[in-house]
Amino acid sequence: MKMAAMCAVAARPEMNGRAFSINLSEDLVKEALASPLGFTVFLQRRLKRFLKRVLPKADFAFAIDVTDETYRLHLHGVVVPNQPFLWTRSKGPNELKQALRKFADNQSKQAVEASPWSDVPEGWGGYSTKFASLVTAMITENDGGDRH
């Protein structure tokens, strides 16, 4: 599902959606760039695998972003559990952060932010994709995968 559509679903209070931002390790970025699947598909499959451990039937979307200063690639995303009533405010967020840190191959406390959708500023979905064309160029230029 596209980022904008997932943001609209997550915004419904009964859906209990979460926004997340992930700082990827340098090794993970290199691995994704070298993957024959391509950067985005590699990360999508990896994220699905890690999310499945805490939310077996969750929908998610992410956008690849780049920092203004250092051009470091990172992710902004949204996850919506298919059974939101099972997702408690106390248990779910900590498990989600742990799974996202493992996905990112980055255990620092700054590696992951995950917030209830009610805490997310309006326009966050647009913010998440503001450098889409630059990111596409960076990934295409550095992508080691052969998909032709």
Side-chain angles (χ1 to χ4, degrees):
M1 203 180 281
K2 298 274 186 190
M3 187 72 164
M6 279 298 299
C7 289
V9 170
R12 295 175 43 203
E14 70 274 13
M15 297 309 291
N16 211 355
R18 300 265 166 192
F20 61 82
S21 296
I22 304 172
N23 291 323
L24 306 172
S25 73
E26 287 184 32
D27 288 341
L28 182 58
V29 170
K30 288 177 189 173
E31 188 177 354
L33 287 170
S35 172
L37 297 170
F39 189 86
T40 305
V41 173
F42 174 86
L43 291 177
Q44 181 181 25
R45 289 184 181 179
R46 181 179 169 95
L47 184 55
K48 184 176 185 176
R49 217 173 40 247
F50 281 86
L51 285 176
K52 203 175 237 186
R53 296 175 187 177
V54 293
L55 292 168
K57 295 185 178 191
D59 292 319
F60 70 93
F62 65 85
I64 303 162
D65 195 13
V66 62
T67 58
D68 292 333
E69 317 81 35
T70 62
Y71 296 103
R72 180 185 41 80
L73 294 170
H74 58 281
L75 305 183
H76 295 296
V78 58
V79 61
V80 177
N82 284 347
Q83 298 174 319
F85 54 89
L86 296 177
W87 184 255
T88 65
R89 284 186 88 79
S90 59
K91 180 181 175 197
N94 291 331
E95 288 182 349
L96 177 62
K97 281 185 178 181
Q98 289 172 3
L100 294 175
R101 277 192 193 103
K102 288 178 183 175
F103 157 80
D105 191 26
N106 189 340
Q107 293 301 311
S108 83
K109 292 203 184 262
Q110 294 79 27
V112 171
E113 289 293 327
S115 305
W117 198 261
S118 57
D119 295 348
V120 175
E122 192 171 329
W124 186 80
Y127 165 82
S128 300
T129 58
K130 67 185 176 298
F131 292 126
S133 58
L134 174 60
V135 168
T136 300
M138 288 175 67
I139 291 170
T140 304
E141 178 181 309
N142 294 303
D143 200 338
D146 181 17
R147 294 176 304 285
H148 302 291

